[in-house]
C-alpha cells in the first residue's frame, strides 16, 4: 500500500473541493440510516469528511482508520465528536465487532492481488455475522473518460491487465493534484470479494455531480455492497 505517497499529498488532496466524493458520502449516509447500524468502521477514512457527515446526522459509534498517518491527523482535526474513535492498528479484540465497514477509494491503492485479498479478508474478520462491506472505486469500465473533476491516463486496451498502474489528475478551481492508482477490473474485484468470503448484494453506479459536463451521463463511481458469508 502506497502509504508514503499519501502521507506526502494528504494535505493537498484534502484541500481540493471534490464534489464527486460527496456523491459517495450521500449514498453511504442514506445506507447507514436505512440499516440503523450501531458500530461502523471507515477503513481508509481520509481526512474525516465522511465521518463528519455521518455523525452530524446519525447516532452511532464510528471508528476511523487510515493507513496514512497524515490522513488520520487531518481526520482528527475534522471531527471531535465523542462518538468517533481512531484506530492506529487492528488487534484481536476488534474481530466480529462492526455492523458495516466503509472502504472508499482504497482498493485502487492496493498494488497486488495478494494484498487485495489480505485487506478484504481482514475487513471480513472485523465484521459481525451478516455485516456489510460498502466499497467505492472509480468506475473501472470508464477510467478513460474525463469527468467534471478528475481524469486518468488509463488506456482502455489495458482493461484486462489487472494490477496496471495509471496516473490520476484531480482538480478544483484552485489546484490540481496528480497521483497513481492501480487498476482492477470489475470481474477481478468480484472474484476478490468471493475469495475473501463476501457475497455481492448490490452494485450501484453513481452519476457525475455536474450535469452540464459532457460525460455526466457516464458514472464515474462504482459502489459494491457485499455481505459477509
Amino acid at each position: 500500500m502506497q502509504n508514503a505517497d499519501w502521507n506526502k499529498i494528504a494535505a493537498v488532496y484534502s484541500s481540493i473541493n471534490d464534489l464527486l466524493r460527496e456523491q459517495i458520502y450521500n449514498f453511504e449516509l442514506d445506507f447507514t440510516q436505512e440499516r440503523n447500524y450501531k458500530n461502523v468502521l471507515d477503513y481508509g477514512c481520509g481526512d474525516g469528511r465522511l465521518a463528519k457527515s455521518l455523525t452530524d446526522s446519525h447516532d452511532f459509534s464510528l471508528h476511523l482508520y487510515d493507513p496514512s498517518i497524515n490522513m488520520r491527523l487531518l481526520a482528527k482535526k475534522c471531527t471531535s465528536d465523542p462518538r468517533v474513535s481512531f484506530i492506529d492498528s487492528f488487534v484481536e479484540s476488534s474481530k466480529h465487532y462492526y455492523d458495516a465497514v466503509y472502504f472508499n477509494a482504497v482498493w485502487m491503492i492496493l498494488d497486488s492481488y495478494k494484498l487485495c485479498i489480505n485487506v478484504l479478508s481482514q475487513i471480513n474478520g472485523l465484521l459481525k455475522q451478516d455485516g456489510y462491506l460498502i466499497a467505492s472505486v472509480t468506475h473501472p469500465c470508464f477510467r478513460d473518460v474525463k469527468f467534471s473533476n478528475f481524469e486518468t491516463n488509463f488506456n482502455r486496451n489495458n482493461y484486462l491487465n489487472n494490477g496496471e498502474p495509471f496516473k490520476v489528475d484531480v482538480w478544483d478551481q484552485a489546484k490540481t493534484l496528480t497521483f497513481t492508482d492501480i487498476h482492477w477490473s470489475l470481474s477481478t474485484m468480484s472474484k476478490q470479494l468471493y475469495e475473501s468470503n463476501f457475497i455481492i448484494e448490490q452494485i450501484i453506479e453513481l452519476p457525475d455531480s455536474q450535469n452540464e459536463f459532457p460525460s455526466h451521463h457516464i458514472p464515474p463511481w462504482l459502489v459494491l455492497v457485499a455481505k459477509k458469508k
Side-chain angles (χ1 to χ4, degrees):
M1 205 178 299
Q2 299 171 333
N3 299 352
D5 290 343
W6 281 96
N7 278 326
K8 292 178 182 178
I9 66 175
V12 177
Y13 184 72
S14 176
S15 69
I16 292 177
N17 183 24
D18 188 348
L19 295 176
L20 293 186
R21 275 190 286 174
E22 297 302 321
Q23 298 283 87
I24 297 170
Y25 296 168
N26 289 337
F27 167 79
E28 291 177 343
L29 175 59
D30 291 342
F31 189 90
T32 302
Q33 291 175 325
E34 288 171 6
R35 303 293 177 105
N36 195 29
Y37 290 141
K38 299 303 182 184
N39 292 295
V40 176
L41 169 66
D42 187 358
Y43 188 116
C45 64
D47 58 14
R49 274 186 269 184
L50 172 60
K52 191 174 188 309
S53 298
L54 289 171
T55 54
D56 281 350
S57 55
H58 194 68
D59 185 19
F60 62 6
S61 177
L62 181 61
H63 305 258
L64 305 185
Y65 170 74
D66 199 283
S68 164
I69 294 173
N70 287 344
M71 279 296 191
R72 290 202 301 271
L73 291 174
L74 289 169
K76 288 177 181 179
K77 292 179 180 179
C78 182
T79 177
S80 58
D81 193 296
R83 294 168 296 171
V84 176
S85 60
F86 290 84
I87 298 172
D88 294 325
S89 62
F90 292 102
V91 294
E92 191 69 23
S93 60
S94 297
K95 288 184 177 290
H96 314 301
Y97 180 75
Y98 299 104
D99 299 308
V101 174
Y102 292 110
F103 194 59
N104 292 319
V106 180
W107 218 322
M108 297 104 72
I109 66 170
L110 304 180
D111 57 8
S112 73
Y113 194 97
K114 181 179 179 180
L115 184 56
C116 291
I117 298 298
N118 287 346
V119 172
L120 291 170
S121 296
Q122 180 188 51
I123 290 172
N124 188 285
L126 298 173
L127 286 165
K128 295 178 181 178
Q129 191 62 38
D130 297 331
Y132 279 84
L133 168 70
I134 301 93
S136 68
V137 297
T138 53
H139 203 307
C141 301
F142 304 115
R143 287 192 167 133
D144 58 341
V145 175
K146 182 177 181 179
F147 293 103
S148 59
N149 85 316
F150 79 88
E151 66 177 331
T152 80
N153 70 346
F154 185 74
N155 186 334
R156 184 173 293 194
N157 292 329
N158 291 327
Y159 183 80
L160 295 179
N161 295 339
N162 287 288
E164 183 83 14
F166 59 95
K167 294 291 184 184
V168 183
D169 290 325
V170 177
W171 62 80
D172 61 13
Q173 293 180 340
K175 61 184 74 68
T176 299
L177 176 65
T178 301
F179 53 88
T180 299
D181 272 350
I182 304 298
H183 171 72
W184 301 104
S185 69
L186 181 54
S187 59
T188 297
M189 288 190 294
S190 301
K191 182 180 179 184
Q192 290 171 348
L193 285 170
Y194 179 79
E195 291 179 5
S196 306
N197 291 314
F198 284 103
I199 300 172
I200 296 175
E201 185 175 279
Q202 297 182 62
I203 296 179
I204 299 98
E205 295 170 303
L206 297 176
D208 202 331
S209 57
Q210 297 185 22
N211 289 341
E212 70 274 12
F213 203 77
S215 61
H216 72 89
H217 58 287
I218 300 174
W221 285 99
L222 182 75
V223 181
L224 297 159
V225 178
K227 185 178 180 180
K228 178 176 180 171
K229 289 183 184 178

